[in-house]
Amino acid sequence: MADKRLKYPVARTHQFIHHAPQFRPVQRGARRKGLLRRYESQDGKKYLEIALFAELDVADQDLLLCLLAMLFPEHKGNVISEVPNHPVNMILRDNLNLEGSVLPMNTLGAQTTAYELLTELGRRTGKSDYDWLEASLGRLARVNFKYRDNTSVSSFNLMSWSAQIDTETNRMTNIRFVVNPVSAQAVLSTPDDKDSQGYFLCHRGERAQLKSEESRALHNVLCGLVMPGKKRSLNVDMLADKVYARYDEELTDDMVKYRRKAIIGALNAIDALEYWSCETFGRGKEAGAEVKRKKVSG
């Protein structure tokens, strides 16, 4: 069953951004900086160029999904137009560095607290956790996208944020954040919206039940590959490339074996979730899984 303690159980992500190689399991002390990646659509008509100031790990992905889940209008989300009324929103929108076709588009923003974010993420609330949250927000805010489709080209930062500091504890308290217009469009769109360009739902309650970084990252990948009520046969090496955001990377035989084992373990963990079935088959480069996803009743 989903974790009922979550106040914001579902995040909605933009289809094209969702598939782009941004997050991966990162070993302690191995976070790389100054990365540039490019993700193209299968037909070659769209591409996303991603500039990462610092590599993003699965915990950063946890935080982003939490922020996106908060942005539903029925929760905390507020539409921020091209000319915001609130002075803080004016600064935060400006800090998105919007250029091109996204400039007149609406963004979405919300207000929360550092304590709420940490507890929603299932983390403790000690000094190191507050320090991690500040660093993670900083990493997410320093991601820049150049996005080109059939009709336009644009550039924008993933998000922006600001926080107040408690002078007695020296910890963050109230936090305001704004996400880019493309991600905001996915949150606000409906299944019948022809301009939505597609979106995926990530169920954070399911994700919270998964312990390893690989299983949480794979769950996010599968949410974009297998729609509710459908099934697909997927190659393990392909899933590994997506989970580890492989990009211009040569793998040794030992690394390939390690990743295959980790992905099969992650598939087994996801198989234990109520609405998923992951049956693995084959060995080596032929290893795969038949993944089925049930529709949520009600």
Side-chain angles (χ1 to χ4, degrees):
M1 297 295 291
D3 189 342
K4 295 182 179 180
R5 294 174 298 175
L6 292 179
K7 293 170 62 178
Y8 313 102
V10 178
R12 185 182 285 175
T13 62
H14 184 270
Q15 184 179 49
F16 199 54
I17 292 179
H18 179 102
H19 284 307
Q22 301 167 69
F23 302 91
R24 61 181 290 175
V26 178
Q27 295 182 350
R28 184 182 296 273
R31 194 187 300 274
R32 297 175 293 175
K33 293 185 178 181
L35 301 177
L36 185 65
R37 294 173 175 168
R38 183 183 173 101
Y39 175 72
E40 293 187 2
S41 60
Q42 290 184 349
D43 60 11
K45 295 181 179 180
K46 295 189 293 184
Y47 76 80
L48 192 68
E49 193 174 82
I50 313 161
L52 302 169
F53 177 82
E55 196 168 28
L56 302 176
D57 61 19
V58 179
D60 295 325
Q61 188 180 56
D62 287 335
L63 175 58
L64 178 61
L65 290 172
C66 181
L67 296 174
L68 291 174
M70 287 182 171
L71 284 173
F72 283 107
E74 61 266 30
H75 294 324
K76 293 175 174 287
N78 292 300
V79 174
I80 300 173
S81 67
E82 185 178 3
V83 184
N85 294 321
H86 196 287
V88 175
N89 287 340
M90 291 176 64
I91 295 172
L92 292 177
R93 182 181 169 100
D94 188 57
N95 287 343
L96 290 174
N97 293 325
L98 305 180
E99 296 181 4
S101 60
V102 296
L103 192 56
M105 292 172 60
N106 290 335
T107 61
L108 271 176
Q111 184 172 355
T112 181
T113 66
Y115 180 83
E116 182 180 38
L117 283 173
L118 290 171
T119 54
E120 182 71 7
L121 290 167
R123 300 181 72 100
R124 296 178 180 177
T125 54
K127 181 181 182 304
S128 61
D129 300 284
Y130 278 84
D131 290 344
W132 167 84
L133 178 60
E134 184 173 349
S136 184
L137 286 167
R139 286 190 292 271
L140 292 173
R142 299 179 85 171
V143 176
N144 178 263
F145 295 121
K146 179 182 178 182
Y147 179 54
R148 178 167 181 163
D149 59 20
N150 295 332
T151 60
S152 63
V153 60
S154 56
S155 176
F156 50 88
N157 291 345
L158 174 61
M159 61 164 292
S160 63
W161 67 286
S162 66
Q164 295 177 326
I165 302 295
D166 186 301
T167 55
E168 293 185 3
T169 63
N170 198 34
R171 295 180 179 180
M172 294 188 300
T173 54
N174 293 333
I175 295 173
R176 286 182 178 269
F177 66 94
V178 174
V179 299
N180 68 83
V182 178
S183 294
Q185 184 184 51
V187 175
L188 293 171
S189 63
T190 66
D192 297 327
D193 186 353
K194 295 181 180 180
D195 296 324
S196 69
Q197 299 185 48
Y199 62 80
F200 296 121
L201 297 177
C202 179
H203 295 269
R204 297 183 58 246
E206 292 181 338
R207 183 182 173 97
Q209 299 175 60
L210 302 169
K211 304 306 178 186
S212 73
E213 290 191 341
E214 282 83 1
S215 61
R216 300 203 308 280
L218 179 59
H219 178 265
N220 193 66
V221 168
L222 293 178
C223 282
L225 292 177
V226 185
M227 298 298 100
K230 303 295 184 179
K231 66 178 180 180
R232 289 188 66 177
S233 182
L234 301 168
N235 179 265
V236 165
D237 285 348
M238 179 275 289
L239 293 175
D241 286 348
K242 290 184 177 295
V243 165
Y244 290 96
R246 185 180 177 188
Y247 190 87
D248 291 342
E249 182 182 18
E250 293 296 327
L251 301 180
T252 65
D253 290 342
D254 286 343
M255 292 172 67
V256 171
K257 290 178 182 178
Y258 172 83
R259 292 185 178 187
R260 283 174 183 162
K261 183 178 180 180
I263 295 303
I264 290 173
L267 286 164
N268 290 335
I270 294 171
D271 180 65
L273 298 175
E274 182 178 4
Y275 291 100
W276 293 84
S277 171
C278 303
E279 183 177 346
T280 58
F281 58 83
R283 299 182 62 181
K285 65 180 181 180
E286 302 300 325
E290 184 178 76
V291 180
K292 301 178 183 178
R293 191 175 177 190
K294 301 177 185 176
K295 285 187 175 181
V296 180
S297 58

